[in-house]
Amino acid sequence: MAGSKGAGTIQESCECRKAKGYVMFDVLFALFLFSLGFGVLFELTAAALSESSQATSLMEGANLAQETMDQLAAHSWSENIACGDCIPGEAVEGTQGKFCWHVYSQWQDIPQLLKVSIEVTWTERGTPYQYKLETLYAVE
């Protein structure tokens, strides 16, 4: 009996060591999967923040173009031309923060139509961006 009891103990300890090896392997594999998933989530978050920043800049550029167009439309075109805010055939430039805006205007085929283009440009992380707004105004 004692011999069989001792033999059983050796066999049980071998099985226990094998089980501990599998547990260690399972833990390492789980850590690998967790690390991989965490890395992917981190990259997705970083990309989302970058896209959000670009979208915010585009929105600010579009708002600046619309605001400039609204300021021109609030006054008579003869007044805008006299003040130099809009000169047909030439460009008027200005800056606001990181944005640079240009107002281009030209007479169309019919002298009462003035085509006004506002172009807002900016650079973000070395990449140039542009937003352009155009409209036609009837000038009397």
Side-chain angles (χ1 to χ4, degrees):
M1 278 186 163
S4 65
K5 186 176 183 184
T9 307
I10 293 172
Q11 189 176 15
E12 287 175 10
S13 66
C14 288
E15 289 175 9
C16 186
R17 278 190 229 144
K18 287 181 185 178
K20 285 182 182 178
Y22 284 120
V23 171
M24 182 65 151
F25 178 73
D26 289 345
V27 168
L28 288 175
F29 187 68
L31 283 173
F32 170 74
L33 290 178
F34 177 76
S35 300
L36 187 66
F38 186 74
V40 169
L41 286 176
F42 181 76
E43 281 297 317
L44 287 174
T45 303
L49 288 174
S50 175
E51 292 293 324
S52 173
S53 173
Q54 289 177 357
T56 300
S57 293
L58 178 61
M59 182 72 91
E60 289 175 3
N63 286 340
L64 176 60
Q66 186 63 50
E67 179 184 316
T68 305
M69 188 71 78
D70 290 343
Q71 288 174 354
L72 290 173
H75 299 74
S76 69
W77 288 102
S78 57
E79 189 178 321
N80 285 331
I81 293 169
C83 291
D85 293 336
C86 176
I87 304 169
E90 295 183 28
V92 177
E93 300 178 351
T95 59
Q96 183 174 340
K98 67 178 179 179
F99 300 99
C100 182
W101 52 267
H102 306 272
V103 177
Y104 303 103
S105 59
Q106 60 185 2
W107 294 108
Q108 290 302 105
D109 295 333
I110 304 170
Q112 291 82 14
L113 285 180
L114 183 66
K115 180 181 176 183
V116 179
S117 301
I118 298 179
E119 190 176 287
V120 178
T121 58
W122 67 96
T123 302
E124 193 170 302
R125 295 187 185 136
T127 305
Y129 292 94
Q130 171 186 5
Y131 183 84
K132 189 172 186 179
L133 181 64
E134 290 184 336
T135 191
L136 286 171
Y137 286 100
V139 180
E140 297 178 15

